[in-house]
Structures are given as C-alpha cells and as structure tokens.
C-alpha cells in the first residue's frame, strides 16, 4: 500500500487567483493521477502524471488551466489556474502500485477541498 | 468505452437492515472491479475488490461478486450499522499499465438507529 498526503487540506480562494496543491507519497511510484470531485458528483480524471514525461490530460482539461509538475517519484503538484467558482471541488491525488496477481491497485490521498468565491 | 453505472441514491435504511447497492459495468476485456467508500469528511478508501469473474470481494461485512454474465458487481451487507453511513463508489480498472479508474456516480447511504 501507499501513504499519500496532500497540502493544503482545504482552501478558500478568490476568483482569478491560482492554487498549487501538493501530493507526497511515502514510496517511489511511477504512475500518479489527479482527479476532481465536484460537489455531489463522482470522481473525474484530470490527468495522468508519470515521472520523466509530460502529463497526459483527459478530454476537457488543458495544461494551461491545470499545470502539473512531477519532479521525482514521490511528489507531484497540480495548479488550478485563474480560478472561477466552477473550480470549487475536491482535488485528489492517486497512485497506482502493483497489487496482487500483478494487477495495478490505486490508492488515494485525503483530498484538497477548494472553494472559489 | 468503459463505463460504470450505479443505482441512484440516497439509500436510507434502519440499523440492521439488508443493503444492496447495484453496480453494472461496460468494458472490453477483463477489468478489475472495486468498491470505494468515502466517509463524511474523509478521503476515498478501498472497500473491496475482485479481479476476475466469479471472484467475491469482502471486507467489514460487505461483499460483492464479479458476475461477468450480467456485467455486475453489486455491493451487499447483511446488517448495516450507523457507522456505515457514507458514499459508496463502484469503479473499474482496465488492468493495463497506466490506466486510471473509472468511477460510477456514487451512492449515498444513510443508516439511522
């Protein structure tokens, strides 16, 4: 398994500003994912961030809005840029590890609850 | 493409009642199936999983059986407790390196004493 921490745990921001969310893992992992959970909704994948390569974004998400860094195998950041109230969500970091039978398992951080006014 | 469909909530039960939360999926190949739980104010936790047809995942009194013939992975518990009140997410993984989880919309369970 993996222990994942995120900072900040929550924040309230003004529209037009940016917030960088940090994700720290207690072991080296190749695959990391960033998800968004809008109020009352399910989790939606924003991007996949593998160390040593550019992040891969899902449809509807772009690098200018959600730039991601992956400087090493235990750390990643997601920035929410030029925020609007529609960006109010919980942002979750996730890592994939090799589980039983050689199949990948995902573990999630506690999430960052963002409110944009 | 791959997708997960969960029954709509909220589900409201009395303590010790039987719980079923339906989940069906659409996928190519042989995905792994998961149930995640999110307790109020907490992060997402893996509740149970099954990696192949007819596997039964179980944890904390919850069970779910991977039914390939009906493409289902329904979550059940024989006797719910107030502490089971949470949001439950069904999810699948395509079992390929680099693929993320695909989640259902989540079902809110509220158990009263």
């Amino acid at each position: 398994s993996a222990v994942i921490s995120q900072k900040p745990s929550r924040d309230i921001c003004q529209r037009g500003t940016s917030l960088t969310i940090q994700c720290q893992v207690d072991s080296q992992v190749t695959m990391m994912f960033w998800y968004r959970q809008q109020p009352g909704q399910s989790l939606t994948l924003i991007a996949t961030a593998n160390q040593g390569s550019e992040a891969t974004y899902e449809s509807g998400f772009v690098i200018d809005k959600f730039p991601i860094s992956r400087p090493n195998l235990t750390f990643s950041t997601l920035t929410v840029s030029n925020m609007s109230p529609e960006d109010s969500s919980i942002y979750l970091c996730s890592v994939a590890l090799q589980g039983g039978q050689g199949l990948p398992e995902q573990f999630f951080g506690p999430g960052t609850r963002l409110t944009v006014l | 493409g791959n997708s997960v469909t969960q029954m709509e909530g909220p589900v409201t039960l009395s303590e010790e009642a039987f719980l079923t939360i339906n989940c069906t999926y659409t996928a190519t190949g042989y995905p792994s199936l998961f149930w995640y739980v999110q307790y109020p104010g907490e992060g997402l936790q893996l509740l149970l999983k099954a990696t192949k047809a007819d596997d039964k995942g179980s944890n904390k009194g919850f069970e779910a059986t991977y039914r390939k013939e009906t493409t289902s992975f329904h979550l059940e518990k024989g006797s719910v407790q107030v502490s089971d009140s949470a949001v439950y997410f069904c999810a699948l993984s395509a079992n390929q390196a680099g693929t993320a989880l695909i989640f259902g919309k989540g079902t809110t369970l509220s158990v009263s004493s």
Side-chain angles (χ1 to χ4, degrees):
Chain A
S1 65
V3 177
I4 305 169
S5 60
Q6 287 185 231
K7 290 182 182 179
S9 59
R10 58 178 64 226
D11 207 343
I12 300 173
C13 302
Q14 297 297 319
R15 71 170 65 213
T17 62
S18 298
L19 176 72
T20 296
I21 301 168
Q22 299 179 8
C23 176
Q24 181 75 51
V25 188
D26 68 343
S27 58
Q28 294 185 335
V29 295
T30 301
M31 289 183 287
M32 295 181 76
F33 306 92
W34 286 98
Y35 289 83
R36 180 175 73 181
Q37 186 181 16
Q38 293 177 301
Q41 302 296 315
S42 186
L43 283 78
T44 302
L45 181 66
I46 297 172
T48 301
N50 292 338
Q51 200 272 334
S53 62
E54 294 290 321
T56 303
Y57 290 82
E58 297 299 302
S59 176
F61 298 95
V62 295
I63 188 171
D64 289 346
K65 176 68 175 177
F66 297 101
I68 289 170
S69 78
R70 186 76 206 277
N72 57 54
L73 290 172
T74 63
F75 188 79
S76 178
T77 67
L78 170 76
T79 299
V80 187
S81 304
N82 188 24
M83 289 184 285
S84 66
E86 292 70 36
D87 294 320
S88 297
S89 294
I90 299 173
Y91 292 85
L92 297 108
C93 168
S94 170
V95 301
L97 296 176
Q98 207 73 351
Q101 302 172 345
L103 298 172
E105 291 187 26
Q106 282 198 27
F107 300 89
F108 287 83
T112 295
R113 185 179 295 272
L114 170 62
T115 301
V116 184
L117 303 178
Chain B
N2 297 340
S3 65
V4 175
T5 303
Q6 276 182 249
M7 63 184 286
E8 296 283 332
V11 174
T12 304
L13 296 173
S14 298
E15 208 165 23
E16 299 183 3
F18 184 85
L19 168 71
T20 299
I21 300 178
N22 289 339
C23 172
T24 57
Y25 68 91
T26 301
T28 55
Y30 303 93
S32 291
L33 301 173
F34 306 84
W35 278 99
Y36 281 83
V37 59
Q38 188 174 40
Y39 297 103
E42 298 186 14
L44 208 61
Q45 302 174 26
L46 177 64
L47 179 61
L48 54 85
K49 66 177 182 180
T51 57
K52 62 183 186 296
D54 299 326
D55 265 3
K56 177 184 284 188
S58 61
N59 186 23
K60 300 182 181 179
F62 291 89
E63 293 182 340
T65 301
Y66 189 146
R67 301 286 189 201
K68 187 165 174 58
E69 63 276 14
T70 55
T71 61
S72 65
F73 193 55
H74 305 322
L75 182 68
E76 297 182 336
K77 186 173 185 180
S79 176
V80 294
Q81 305 299 311
V82 173
S83 57
D84 294 326
S85 298
V87 182
Y88 293 82
F89 293 93
C90 185
L92 73 79
S93 168
N95 286 334
Q96 298 168 3
T99 56
L101 288 167
I102 296 171
F103 286 88
K105 291 188 176 182
T107 303
T108 300
L109 170 66
S110 179
V111 181
S112 57
S113 58

